[in-house]
Amino acid sequence: MDISPIITKDLLGFLKSHYPLHWDGLHGFQHWVRVRENGLMLASLNGANQKVVEYFAFTHDIQRQSDGFDPGHGARACKFIRTHLLDRIDLTPDEVNLLCLATSGHTNGKCHPDVTINTCWDADRLDLMRAGIRPHPDRLCTPQSRDPQIIEWAIQRSVGY
Ligand SMILES: [Fe+2]
């Protein structure tokens, strides 16, 4: 089933065949679905690039080798995108660069001047409650994601994991 016009069944099948960990695990498919929803919610409020947000959700953890500490997986995701996905995703070269910056940097816990990159990172961090970690406003980058109602909305969905 297609998740959206750009996250198609074909793309999902390709991603699944290249994901080294459990598809239904901590950093797998259900997490990606929630990161997409978080990101699109934020993008509807702050104007972030929705296509980049969607692709980030489904690629940022694609090269994880562990569900634990794995600081290199963001950089590997960027490499994976440039190596395997350029003919499978609907992005301009500038958008690919943005996606790569978002994936490669999402592991460092910082913020960025670009609203789309911050939205991607917040969308991921808003799903931390699945691991028992409550998202903290000080660790979020966009004013929209620091809204207590948004945090609570994300937490409720993460808890159901
Ligand atoms: Fe993630």
Side-chain angles (χ1 to χ4, degrees):
M1 189 182 74
D2 294 347
I3 299 287
S4 76
I6 60 170
I7 309 297
T8 62
K9 184 178 167 216
D10 281 355
L11 178 61
L12 274 176
F14 183 80
L15 294 172
K16 187 171 186 177
S17 70
H18 285 79
Y19 185 52
L21 304 177
H22 291 296
W23 186 241
D24 296 316
L26 191 65
H27 297 92
F29 176 70
Q30 294 300 331
H31 167 58
W32 305 350
V33 168
R34 287 190 300 272
V35 172
R36 173 181 173 272
E37 292 169 352
N38 292 344
L40 289 180
M41 162 65 84
L42 297 174
S44 75
L45 300 172
N46 67 18
N49 183 313
Q50 297 190 6
K51 286 203 296 186
V52 171
V53 164
E54 282 202 73
Y55 284 126
F56 172 85
F58 282 84
T59 58
H60 71 285
D61 283 334
I62 187 67
Q63 287 293 276
R64 265 191 171 272
Q65 294 169 346
S66 155
D67 277 322
F69 187 62
D70 184 358
H73 77 273
R76 291 196 302 274
C78 172
K79 188 175 177 190
F80 180 87
I81 290 163
R82 293 199 185 281
T83 306
H84 296 291
L85 294 185
L86 293 185
D87 59 349
R88 298 174 186 272
I89 59 178
D90 176 26
L91 292 179
T92 66
D94 283 349
E95 288 172 327
V96 170
N97 290 337
L98 205 54
L99 176 62
C100 249
L101 280 173
T103 51
S104 59
H106 88 276
T107 42
N108 68 18
K110 296 181 180 170
C111 293
H112 193 278
D114 184 273
V115 66
T116 296
I117 292 176
N118 280 338
T119 297
C120 290
W121 294 351
D122 281 358
D124 188 27
R125 292 168 193 171
L126 280 171
D127 195 35
L128 278 172
M129 199 62 187
R130 77 193 191 285
I133 301 167
R134 195 174 181 86
H136 193 286
D138 291 351
R139 298 286 180 91
L140 297 169
C141 300
T142 68
Q144 295 77 25
S145 56
R146 294 190 201 109
D147 179 336
Q149 286 189 326
I150 295 275
I151 293 176
E152 198 54 39
W153 170 75
I155 284 175
Q156 289 308 316
R157 288 162 39 255
S158 302
V159 165
Y161 166 73

